[in-house]
Amino acid sequence: MTPAMSLSDKLPHYARLMRIDKPIGTLLLLWPTLWALWIAAEGWPPLHILAIFVVGTFLMRSAGCVINDYADRDFDGHVERTRNRPLATGAVSPGEALALAAVLSAAAFVLVLPLNTLTILLSVPALLLAGSYPFTKRFFAIPQAYLGIAFGFGIPMAFAAVTGTVPATGWLMLLANIFWAVAYDTEYAMVDRPDDLRIGIKTSAITFGRHDVLAVMLCYAAAFALLAVVGMLAGLGFAWYLGLVVACAIAGYHYTLIRARDRAACFKAFRHNNWVGGAIFAGLFIDLLLRA
């Protein structure tokens, strides 16, 4: 009989469940939040607000990963890329996963309590979105769009924290983030498409079918076009648009990776979206720095 593992033995498995070893998800969640903070503050946001959102992003992404693996615990063992996840192997029990997700979510909620009332109120749907997304893969044809809302809800929260309101610009940025998320997460879903078809999970890669590559590129185009409008509404200058041009060039490179639908290349394209978010933020940062 295998002896029960101690807490210290469990910690590495909890860390893997939270994807601490794979920060790409945190970065894809963080970049849009940073765009919103800098636009709302017209430069550096208050440091305490910046710290709250950076730490909160990490906590909520970690909680989302735990809930995702809990929701997929009966499927992950049948998927090549996920068969060794802690819940799939039994290294962590479902009850432990739920407890871990609850602790992470509670910690994230406590973080926002020093902020204004609107930000606290917006944190409730943010938590519900993060917790419910994994289950949308059962019935939504394009759950990646729901992910875009969940991953982008830091945008209205950032505007609320800095300005006390959420302007039209903030909601337009959220819409842009939805299109960006559909683009990059479809690339991700293209990696698992054969396994997802076999086990019956719905993804945008399956829904788009043979038009998947075209759909990804159109979503990139829509996201960047909306961000260009955001730049006009916010009165941003040349550097912002230069950042968008660089992001467009990166998306063009992604086309060369995904057009053959090779699993490894599609996964590389997904991970490479960190540079898309970083290029846009760099353009914004430089633009606002030059205006200071």
Side-chain angles (χ1 to χ4, degrees):
M1 184 175 179
T2 304
M5 286 190 285
S6 65
L7 178 60
S8 61
D9 293 328
K10 288 274 190 179
L11 288 178
H13 298 297
Y14 293 158
R16 286 183 56 226
L17 197 60
M18 294 164 59
R19 308 285 201 283
I20 290 178
D21 57 328
K22 297 177 180 178
I24 180 62
T26 300
L27 292 169
L28 292 175
L29 184 58
L30 182 62
W31 286 125
T33 306
L34 294 180
W35 305 341
L37 285 170
W38 255 257
I39 289 178
E42 299 183 352
W44 275 91
L47 289 180
H48 74 286
I49 293 179
L50 177 60
I52 286 171
F53 274 85
V54 170
V55 177
T57 294
F58 168 76
L59 291 173
M60 283 311 301
R61 188 263 177 161
S62 298
C65 288
V66 175
I67 290 295
N68 182 79
D69 284 11
Y70 174 81
D72 291 349
R73 64 191 185 281
D74 295 328
F75 299 108
D76 280 346
H78 303 284
V79 177
E80 179 182 347
R81 187 180 49 80
T82 61
R83 65 179 71 239
N84 292 318
R85 285 179 175 175
L87 273 168
T89 62
V92 175
S93 71
E96 289 174 308
L98 288 177
L100 179 58
V103 169
L104 292 167
S105 300
F109 182 72
V110 169
L111 268 181
V112 304
L113 292 180
L115 302 178
N116 59 44
T117 302
L118 179 58
T119 310
I120 296 171
L121 290 175
L122 286 172
S123 72
V124 176
L127 177 60
L128 294 176
L129 286 164
S132 58
Y133 159 69
F135 299 95
T136 63
K137 290 177 282 186
R138 308 294 191 275
F139 51 87
F140 277 6
I142 306 179
Q144 282 71 17
Y146 196 93
L147 175 72
I149 302 173
F151 262 36
F153 218 76
I155 293 170
M157 288 182 65
F159 275 97
V162 174
T163 68
T165 187
V166 184
T169 304
W171 298 114
L172 198 61
M173 287 181 68
L174 176 58
L175 181 59
N177 190 74
I178 293 171
F179 280 108
W180 184 36
V182 173
Y184 66 64
D185 210 55
T186 298
E187 293 170 341
Y188 188 75
M190 289 166 73
V191 178
D192 294 335
R193 179 160 41 195
D195 294 319
D196 291 340
L197 280 167
R198 179 167 47 82
I199 61 181
I201 287 180
K202 298 182 184 296
T203 72
S204 55
I206 293 172
T207 299
F208 293 143
R210 63 190 180 91
H211 303 296
D212 51 359
V213 175
L214 174 62
V216 168
M217 301 315 296
L218 288 175
C219 285
Y220 274 131
F224 300 150
L226 287 168
L227 289 175
V229 175
V230 166
M232 288 187 284
L233 293 176
L236 300 176
F238 174 76
W240 166 256
Y241 296 102
L242 181 59
L244 289 180
V245 169
V246 173
C248 287
I250 296 171
Y253 169 60
H254 292 177
Y255 170 75
T256 68
L257 292 174
I258 68 174
R259 62 185 176 184
R261 299 176 176 84
D262 175 76
R263 283 191 174 197
C266 289
F267 190 62
K268 181 179 180 179
F270 161 73
R271 290 173 55 86
H272 205 255
N273 275 276
N274 177 45
W275 295 104
V276 173
I280 294 170
F281 178 71
L284 174 62
F285 185 88
I286 293 169
D287 190 80
L288 293 174
L289 187 65
L290 293 174
R291 291 170 53 185

